[in-house]
Amino acid sequence: MDRAGVPSPRPGDRADAILVDLYGGVFGQPFESFRTAALALLRRAIPFDAGVWGSGIYSTNHLHAVSLLDFPVSDMMVYAERWQAHDIARAAIVARPGHALRNEDVMAPEAYRETPIYREFSRAAGIEHALGIVEHDPLTDLGELITLFRADVARPFGKDDCATLEALSPHLMTAWRQAQIAHHYRALAGGADAGFFEPESYALADAQGLLHAAGAEFHRALADVAPGWTGPVLPRVLAPLLAEADGSLAIDHWDFTARPQGAMRLLAVASGGGTLGLTPAETRVARLYAAGLTQGEIARRAGVSPSTVRNQLASAYMKLEVHSKVGLIRALARRSD
């Protein structure tokens, strides 16, 4: 019971509420502060004093982006330059993706407080207890590392905290992946959110092909067109999509498209390409039109002229040998079987 006599929320209820806010933030939270805000949500389930969230390449242990919550940038720089290579707790966490570990799971507290990293860094930085987890995507080799800190020596993290972090961590990774893709999608679509939920899957890569995020269906397409491939750089077969201009590529039954957005490339994949001769652009227009969008709405979303949409739709009708929207819907349904 809380002080007002109201039953306190169960841990499961608290986690459910956090997930609602977390996934709601994919479109509602500013992209630049998404991970910091997500750490603040996590604090509602696991009280902590400071937190660090790093994203990078798992196999090389290289972080390409870090977000901090109540942890000084200066301390982070000192740690990265001087102590990261000697942090056995971090190494243990990285070695066991999906498992939340505390300092005391790796080394007895008395022994930890005799180590140089504690005496020369952690004590001054207010780190008495740490709890961390890594999430690893084996196909793309992308990884997320979350570490939480407490300054009170009398308040160690407990087993319940480990279980909560293990339950929430996959959702944090998934939401961050979606937030990255959604941010660049909105930039291309002029701020519109609709379309992100179409029956397609997206990925985000830089100009060198290094993946930063990929949806589940995009994973499946990658595994299909490049058997045995492991990331984090796109397989060579998709290299044409990295050109500075818009690109499209049909491989087997997958339609890949790419559009540049700043230094990044927003990639999309749709299944069923080529079985009835539609190009990726015709497939997309036909699907959107069948889903109820007007030609003007499709043009605004795709960033093309209404005449381009009309021509693509007319070509799709001709290739599918249909004469009405009902016929189009049926043909597309057969195409997906």
Side-chain angles (χ1 to χ4, degrees):
M1 305 285 282
D2 64 17
R3 294 180 181 178
V6 178
S8 300
R10 296 174 300 171
D13 296 336
R14 194 161 54 238
D16 289 345
I18 289 170
L19 292 180
V20 170
D21 291 344
L22 175 67
Y23 285 110
V26 168
F27 286 111
Q29 180 68 35
F31 171 71
E32 294 76 12
S33 59
F34 180 86
R35 289 189 305 181
T36 303
L39 284 173
L41 287 174
L42 183 59
R43 184 183 264 165
R44 286 163 37 186
I46 306 173
F48 60 87
D49 298 312
V52 177
W53 181 344
S55 302
I57 302 171
Y58 177 81
S59 62
T60 62
N61 208 18
H62 173 74
L63 296 180
H64 54 239
V66 177
S67 294
L68 309 174
L69 179 64
D70 297 332
F71 193 79
V73 174
S74 57
D75 285 352
M76 187 68 225
M77 293 177 64
V78 169
Y79 171 81
E81 294 174 2
R82 174 69 178 85
W83 298 107
Q84 179 174 308
H86 306 285
D87 190 345
I88 62 172
R90 184 185 191 276
I93 293 166
V94 171
R96 298 188 64 194
H99 295 272
L101 294 176
R102 305 164 298 170
N103 275 9
E104 53 265 46
D105 294 323
V106 179
M107 178 185 296
E110 297 79 10
Y112 168 66
R113 293 187 178 91
E114 293 299 322
T115 61
I117 190 174
Y118 173 78
R119 295 196 311 267
E120 300 178 34
F121 173 74
S122 297
R123 181 167 53 191
I127 300 173
E128 292 294 337
H129 301 285
L131 170 64
I133 194 168
V134 160
E135 291 294 338
H136 175 220
D137 179 347
L139 182 66
T140 63
D141 198 28
L142 297 178
E144 306 291 334
L145 170 63
I146 296 175
T147 311
L148 313 177
F149 306 116
R150 284 179 180 167
D152 187 347
V153 68
R155 293 182 62 240
F157 290 101
K159 291 294 186 180
D160 287 346
D161 296 321
C162 292
T164 299
L165 184 57
E166 289 179 1
L168 292 177
S169 180
H171 294 283
L172 292 166
M173 182 182 72
T174 299
W176 170 234
R177 179 180 64 194
Q178 292 177 347
Q180 294 176 82
I181 294 171
H183 169 74
H184 289 84
Y185 181 96
R186 283 197 300 265
L188 285 170
D193 292 342
F196 186 70
F197 302 101
E198 293 163 18
E200 298 183 33
S201 187
Y202 297 85
L204 189 67
D206 64 20
Q208 287 70 49
L210 177 65
L211 279 170
H212 287 243
E217 187 73 356
F218 208 98
H219 276 70
R220 191 161 74 90
L222 285 171
D224 198 13
V225 302
W229 170 84
T230 55
V233 178
L234 284 172
R236 186 174 300 176
V237 69
L238 297 184
L241 296 175
L242 299 177
E244 294 183 2
D246 295 355
S248 63
L249 194 62
I251 305 176
D252 297 330
H253 61 284
W254 299 103
D255 289 332
F256 293 90
T257 56
R259 295 188 67 184
Q261 207 287 303
M264 307 298 288
R265 302 291 183 273
L266 182 66
L267 312 172
V269 67
S271 62
T275 55
L276 291 178
L278 299 189
T279 68
E282 290 166 352
T283 299
R284 182 170 295 102
V285 166
R287 283 179 171 157
L288 292 175
Y289 191 66
L293 274 71
T294 67
Q295 294 181 27
E297 289 170 336
I298 296 170
R300 286 192 295 274
R301 179 176 304 179
V304 299
S305 67
S307 62
T308 297
V309 172
R310 284 195 298 273
N311 292 338
Q312 290 170 341
L313 192 58
S315 179
Y317 267 62
M318 180 181 67
K319 291 179 180 180
L320 296 175
E321 298 181 350
V322 299
H323 307 283
S324 67
K325 181 179 284 189
V326 172
L328 178 67
I329 293 170
R330 289 174 178 170
L332 292 175
R334 290 196 302 271
R335 193 170 188 258
S336 300
D337 289 342

